[in-house]
Amino acid sequence: MGCPLSRDPHYERLSLWHDTVDTDWSPRPPLPGDVEADVAIVGAGFTGLWTAHYLAEADPTLRIVVLEAETAGFGASGRNGGWCSALFPASLPTLAGYADRGAALAQHRAVRATVDEVVRVATAEGIDAQVSKGGTITLARSRAQWSRAKAEVAEARAWDRGDDDLRLLGRQEATEILHGSNTRGATYTPDCAALHPARLVRGLASAVERRGVTIHEQTRVTAIEPRLARTEHGTVRARTVLRATEGYTATLAGERRTMVPVYSLIIATEPLPAEVWDEIGLARRETFTDHRHLIVYGQRTADDRLVFGGRGAPYHLGSRIKPEYDRDEKVFARLYATLVDLFPVLRGTRVTHAWGGALGIPRDWCASVGLDRATGLGWAGGYVGDGVSTTNLAGRTLRDLVLGRDTELTRLPWVGHRSPGWEREPLRWLGINAGLRAMTLADAEESVTRMPSLVARTVAPLLG
């Protein structure tokens, strides 16, 4: 038998995923001092590691250094809901406005294909991420939600997206997949895989190291400058410096208004017996949500737990990020109440894990990727919680940009997009929290009236 894994309880306690990953959480050595590299990547989450993977695969001679403030997978990459989906935060009309209809559809096709690319690489690298590509079912549980479901499918058809992409399910077909209370129908897309995100991100870190990439953990980058990353332990000079910091971007000098960190919180139940799953469904481990305004999301894990999360935690003044913000007992209680409302059979079920983390939101809610050749500075991010797959697309796109390739990926409309900066405080704090409150009120209004919310129709255009 081998030696037992060295464990770091600080990192294990971060989430269910951190607690159940088969890995050594002992941090890798920090940066030993000033070094030089061809490519320096700031952030060892999915964006940084996918970029390192594809660059090292394309050119094994590159000296690639990844700098991480904590450990690989510490942030959203290791704490999310485990959806590897084709969701993209900006709509097709928005993307078409940046380019044209054809470019917007090319972006959509690229994100769809990325789901399978993530699964392919995980398999090729021997990463057991507990993947099941069962798609996503989005329930409609009121008249207002059913109207939104039908409108979503109608818009998909207007963009020449067929049943193989998104289809409308009647009540019987929907409940054959997921037995949610008050279900009127649903939408379904096959483009999502449920997975164990920490297993994926930790496996990816090991995979890039096998390709010769150096990862320095517990090395906080304080500033990114042309061809330079400054850290607490020294500087890294490189021809290209890539920012892959997502929800932590505001901690970098000069980036306070680039991206706001908004918290999403999650709970996980104990493993559920087969008879309970017979009542709930999700036989193929489909991911699920519903058509409410304030986002919720769930999955059935490989060990038969139900993981359920949602937005609603407050934004903190000045884009502050603190460990204590990972937990909000009121939000956890609301999540549990929502879960029981969806599936009454779960009443009294024990919750074994509850956690949270910051995701990154740009001002126009459009993810982007780019590289300024004059300064050598590149970036990717702004996934608004839809990053498990989109980070992979970002990594492949950054590979092509760094290597100077003109490809289909580098011509997608999100490439080179620059989101405007967020408002200064306290306007930022007032606006974001007012928006979160409005969406909560809109859902409450619809639960009573069963009609589309006047609050949502008024506020939604203001939120982008």
Side-chain angles (χ1 to χ4, degrees):
M1 294 180 61
C3 295
L5 294 176
S6 173
R7 298 289 187 178
D8 187 322
H10 167 68
Y11 296 119
E12 283 184 14
R13 288 194 295 265
L14 288 174
S15 72
L16 165 71
W17 310 125
H18 286 78
D19 191 27
T20 58
V21 70
D22 184 17
T23 191
D24 181 350
W25 281 108
S26 297
R28 295 169 171 87
L31 184 72
D34 295 348
V35 302
E36 293 190 0
D38 296 309
V39 181
I41 300 172
V42 182
F46 280 136
T47 300
L49 293 175
W50 282 125
T51 304
H53 167 80
Y54 288 110
L55 279 171
E57 179 184 56
D59 185 352
T61 68
L62 287 174
R63 297 170 298 165
I64 303 170
V65 174
V66 180
L67 305 170
E68 167 58 43
E70 296 283 351
T71 62
F74 170 82
S77 295
R79 306 190 208 183
N80 59 75
W83 286 36
C84 182
S85 76
L87 293 171
F88 190 81
S91 67
L92 285 172
T94 296
L95 291 171
Y98 299 146
D100 55 37
R101 180 185 176 92
L105 286 170
Q107 179 92 40
H108 180 65
R109 289 192 298 271
V111 179
R112 290 188 72 192
T114 295
V115 177
D116 290 329
E117 172 65 7
V118 170
V119 177
R120 182 195 70 79
V121 175
T123 301
E125 294 291 349
I127 302 170
D128 180 13
Q130 300 178 342
V131 178
S132 179
K133 191 184 177 187
T136 298
I137 183 168
T138 305
L139 298 180
R141 302 174 58 240
S142 68
R143 183 185 303 175
Q145 290 189 20
W146 182 233
S147 295
R148 284 197 289 276
K150 291 187 289 186
E152 181 183 3
V153 174
E155 182 179 22
R157 299 295 178 268
W159 283 86
D160 300 321
R161 297 169 54 199
D163 275 355
D164 65 319
D165 185 336
L166 183 73
R167 62 191 178 98
L168 191 68
L169 308 181
R171 182 182 184 279
Q172 180 176 344
E173 195 173 5
T175 54
E176 286 174 357
I177 299 173
L178 180 62
H179 310 156
S181 64
N182 303 316
T183 296
R184 291 172 174 246
T187 53
Y188 174 80
T189 174
D191 298 321
C192 189
L195 52 75
H196 189 305
R199 280 176 172 261
L200 179 59
V201 72
R202 296 296 292 182
L204 192 56
S206 296
V208 301
E209 286 183 312
R210 291 194 297 270
R211 292 185 180 274
V213 174
T214 300
I215 302 175
H216 291 296
E217 296 181 330
Q218 295 194 326
T219 301
R220 186 176 303 279
V221 172
T222 55
I224 297 174
E225 301 170 15
R227 310 189 196 285
L228 181 70
R230 297 190 184 277
T231 84
E232 301 165 329
H233 303 291
T235 60
V236 179
R237 297 184 181 277
R239 293 199 307 266
T240 304
V241 180
L242 304 176
R243 170 171 58 77
T245 48
E246 195 56 3
Y248 296 88
T249 300
T251 64
L252 295 168
E255 303 288 351
R256 180 73 69 178
R257 297 167 60 199
T258 301
M259 202 106 64
V260 296
V262 173
Y263 278 75
S264 195
L265 272 58
I266 304 177
I267 59 176
T269 71
E270 61 190 336
L272 304 175
E275 58 268 23
V276 172
W277 283 114
D278 287 343
E279 290 198 43
I280 295 174
L282 304 179
R284 297 188 302 130
R285 289 184 58 206
E286 295 90 347
T287 56
F288 70 91
T289 179
D290 67 15
H291 280 279
R292 74 184 63 209
H293 297 286
L294 196 64
I295 293 172
V296 295
Y297 48 90
Q299 71 143 292
R300 177 180 181 173
T301 66
D303 63 349
D304 285 333
R305 299 172 187 267
L306 202 154
V307 168
F308 188 71
R311 311 283 167 82
Y315 162 76
H316 301 280
L317 186 70
S319 296
R320 290 195 301 267
I321 301 172
K322 294 183 178 181
E324 52 263 39
Y325 298 159
D326 295 345
R327 300 188 60 85
D328 187 317
E329 298 304 325
K330 291 183 179 179
V331 175
F332 290 146
R334 288 200 297 269
L335 286 172
Y336 186 80
T338 301
L339 187 60
V340 170
D341 177 60
L342 271 166
F343 312 115
V345 68
L346 294 180
R347 189 174 303 279
T349 297
R350 186 168 66 96
V351 169
T352 61
H353 296 76
W355 71 95
L359 55 91
I361 301 182
R363 182 61 183 87
D364 59 1
W365 291 59
C366 184
S368 63
V369 57
L371 175 64
D372 181 347
R373 297 201 174 282
T375 62
L377 297 178
W379 77 93
Y383 310 115
V384 195
D386 297 327
V388 176
S389 59
T390 315
T391 51
N392 176 280
L393 180 61
R396 286 181 283 136
T397 305
L398 282 172
R399 170 202 59 197
D400 290 351
L401 291 172
V402 170
L403 298 179
R405 298 174 175 176
D406 179 13
T407 67
E408 291 182 359
L409 296 183
T410 63
R411 293 191 292 272
L412 292 175
W414 74 324
V415 177
H417 174 70
R418 297 278 190 173
S419 298
W422 280 90
E423 290 80 2
R424 298 184 184 279
E425 297 289 20
L427 294 178
R428 188 159 75 238
W429 179 85
L430 289 168
I432 294 171
N433 286 319
L436 291 170
R437 179 62 176 162
M439 293 301 97
T440 302
L441 290 173
D443 287 323
E445 178 189 348
E446 290 185 354
S447 71
V448 173
T449 67
R450 302 294 175 180
M451 299 293 289
S453 167
L454 177 62
V455 172
R457 295 199 301 271
T458 304
V459 175
L462 305 177
L463 299 177

